[in-house]
């Protein structure tokens, strides 16, 4: 944490580094209010203590001062704070309006909050979870909503938060919310869910990667198996992380939101329906593409479908990876 702060000059004790167009004015408003509070606390405190000592009642029958009112003093302590508070409203409201009105030429990225991961869809139709790539110095409009994984599931309220960009907005079911930014600095920054949304809330994290404009197209190309560098199972392991599976499934035998995948292949699985199936390739594939078809006994029907999100190669990879987890 400390090394992180020292490494970047725009980070301060209270705020992370500045990486978007909104950061400078946000931080200016924050520190204006901060120092105003410090001055008010110190001056107010000092005056209170000073007066308590200076005007301490000397005997039980001592009278209080006969002053009833003092017009110039009352006008001063009314007018000065009014000017300060109206000024605070103006700088806050100006930034709020700016943040809620994206420029017309902004690139649109669709953000969907699921239980419990973020999914991003780019203008070229490609989608990804956890890792969001954006080009530097380009306005990006986020069209956000919370999605249910299936018709038996309820969507919940999330909140999309990028501290380094100073942007945060609720992500709601049955309703779109919009937010925008222009990243000003190449680098990787945290994404958080800032609304306590349930069991997997703390796992609802991600990274926003700001890349040079000429690298952006390259970064959002469809994911593929690099046969020279990795086995199909290794590609599956990579897909397992990239597709957000780790939010609900472990590979070490401990159940999470969903059952563990360790030793799953060819095991017989008890279903909610009372039936038993063998976890062969067809069962694994169906559970990825149509998760509600066979619900494992004791687990909620909360997994979203990956049909249309993963290509055949990625599904083959995942199945090979699961087979390797003995
Ligand atoms: Cu989603 Cu917290």
């Amino acid at each position: 944490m400390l090394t992180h702060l020292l490494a970047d000059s725009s980070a301060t004790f209270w705020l992370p580094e500045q990486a978007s167009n909104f950061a400078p004015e946000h931080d200016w408003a924050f520190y204006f209010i901060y120092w105003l509070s410090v001055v008010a606390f110190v001056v107010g405190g000092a005056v209170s203590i000073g007066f308590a000592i200076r005007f301490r009642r000397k005997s039980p029958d001592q009278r209080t001062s006969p002053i009833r009112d003092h017009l110039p003093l009352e006008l001063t302590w009314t007018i000065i704070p009014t000017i300060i508070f109206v000024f605070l409203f103006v700088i806050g409201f100006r930034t709020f309006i700016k943040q809620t009105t994206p420029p017309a030429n902004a690139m649109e990225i669709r953000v969907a909050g699921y239980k419990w991961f973020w999914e991003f869809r780019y203008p070229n139709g490609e989608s990804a979870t956890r890792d969001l790539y954006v080009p530097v110095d380009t306005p990006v409009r986020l069209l956000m909503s919370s999605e249910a994984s299936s018709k038996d599931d309820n969507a919940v309220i999330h909140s999309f938060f990028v501290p380094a960009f100073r942007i945060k907005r609720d992500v709601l079911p049955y309703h779109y919310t919009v937010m925008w930014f222009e990243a000003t600095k190449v680098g990787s920054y945290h994404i958080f869910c800032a609304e306590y949304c349930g069991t997997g809330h703390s796992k609802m994290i991600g990274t926003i990667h700001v890349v040079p404009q000429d690298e952006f197209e390259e970064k959002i190309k469809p994911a593929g198996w690099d046969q020279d560098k990795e086995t199909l199972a290794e590609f599956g392991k990579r897909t397992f992380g990239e597709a957000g599976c780790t939010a609900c499934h472990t590979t070490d035998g401990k159940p999470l939101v969903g059952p563990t995948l360790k030793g799953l292949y060819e095991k017989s699985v008890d279903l909610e329906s009372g039936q038993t199936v063998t976890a062969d390739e067809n069962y694994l594939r169906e559970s990825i593409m149509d998760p509600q078809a066979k619900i494992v006994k004791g687990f909620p029907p909360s997994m979203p479908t990956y049909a249309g999100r993963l290509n055949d190669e990625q599904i083959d990879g995942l199945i090979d990876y699961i087979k390797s987890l003995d």
Side-chain angles (χ1 to χ4, degrees):
M1 178 70 182
L2 194 63
T3 50
H4 175 75
L5 288 182
L6 293 173
D8 191 290
S9 55
S10 68
T12 63
F13 182 74
W14 299 110
L15 296 167
E17 61 188 302
Q18 300 182 336
S20 87
N21 57 326
F22 296 124
E25 60 187 277
H26 170 283
D27 293 7
W28 189 89
F30 175 85
Y31 276 107
F32 183 81
I33 295 168
Y34 174 82
W35 286 113
L36 194 67
S37 308
V38 169
V39 169
F41 172 73
V42 171
V43 173
V47 170
S48 301
I49 293 168
F51 278 23
I53 295 166
R54 171 75 181 77
F55 300 108
R56 189 173 166 75
R57 190 161 64 164
K58 303 285 189 310
S59 63
D61 55 348
Q62 186 185 355
R63 294 285 182 89
T64 52
S65 155
I67 295 172
R68 282 273 170 269
D69 54 55
H70 190 289
L71 191 63
L73 199 59
E74 286 171 7
L75 284 176
T76 308
W77 77 47
T78 305
I79 292 169
I80 291 177
T82 302
I83 292 170
I84 292 172
F85 291 137
V86 169
F87 178 69
L88 292 181
F89 168 77
V90 169
I91 58 173
F93 190 66
R94 217 181 43 185
T95 307
F96 174 79
I97 291 295
K98 212 162 124 184
Q99 289 202 346
T100 45
T101 46
N105 64 343
M107 178 177 82
E108 184 171 283
I109 293 177
R110 184 76 172 78
V111 175
Y114 285 90
K115 282 155 60 178
W116 277 272
F117 62 92
W118 298 106
E119 188 192 50
F120 311 108
R121 201 172 319 118
Y122 298 105
N124 70 351
E126 280 304 312
S127 65
T129 56
R130 297 180 77 91
D131 289 278
L132 171 61
Y133 285 90
V134 295
V136 71
D137 296 330
T138 306
V140 175
R141 176 182 191 262
L142 303 176
L143 181 64
M144 312 188 292
S145 66
S146 173
E147 302 291 323
S149 300
S150 70
K151 63 176 175 19
D152 304 316
D153 184 40
N154 291 316
V156 295
I157 298 176
H158 306 284
S159 181
F160 192 81
F161 181 30
V162 185
F165 290 4
R166 314 290 192 265
I167 55 169
K168 173 161 74 176
R169 191 145 219 212
D170 277 8
V171 176
L172 309 170
Y174 317 115
H175 187 80
Y176 292 114
T177 48
V178 171
M179 186 162 73
W180 79 282
F181 60 87
E182 190 173 318
T184 52
K185 202 152 114 193
V186 169
S188 297
Y189 309 97
H190 292 295
I191 296 169
F192 295 109
C193 177
E195 180 76 43
Y196 179 63
C197 53
T199 318
H201 165 67
S202 63
K203 298 202 173 280
M204 228 173 143
I205 50 178
T207 308
I208 186 159
H209 304 274
V210 180
V211 296
Q213 277 160 352
D214 51 355
E215 274 178 37
F216 176 66
E217 293 298 327
E218 185 66 24
K219 289 291 182 195
I220 63 168
K221 278 211 308 221
W225 173 26
D226 189 346
Q227 301 192 25
D228 299 332
K229 285 195 190 139
E230 57 193 354
T231 64
L232 185 58
E234 282 165 351
F235 170 62
K237 185 178 184 181
R238 191 154 65 83
T239 306
F240 189 72
E242 289 169 357
C245 311
T246 48
C248 298
H249 296 286
T250 67
T251 55
D252 63 1
K254 295 192 194 86
L256 213 57
V257 179
T260 183
L261 303 180
K262 186 180 176 173
L264 173 62
Y265 181 58
E266 299 214 300
K267 202 179 88 173
S268 70
V269 178
D270 294 328
L271 302 179
E272 275 298 336
S273 63
Q275 291 167 303
T276 302
V277 292
T278 301
D280 59 8
E281 285 87 347
N282 280 316
Y283 167 78
L284 296 177
R285 187 184 168 86
E286 182 185 49
S287 297
I288 297 168
M289 304 300 269
D290 185 11
Q292 312 305 318
K294 296 188 172 70
I295 300 296
V296 179
K297 198 173 169 63
F299 290 94
S302 57
M303 177 166 159
T305 174
Y306 281 82
R309 286 194 200 143
L310 297 175
N311 59 37
D312 285 338
E313 200 173 60
Q314 289 175 305
I315 293 162
D316 289 346
L318 283 174
I319 291 172
D320 240 43
Y321 175 55
I322 293 168
K323 286 160 83 169
S324 74
L325 298 168
D326 275 331

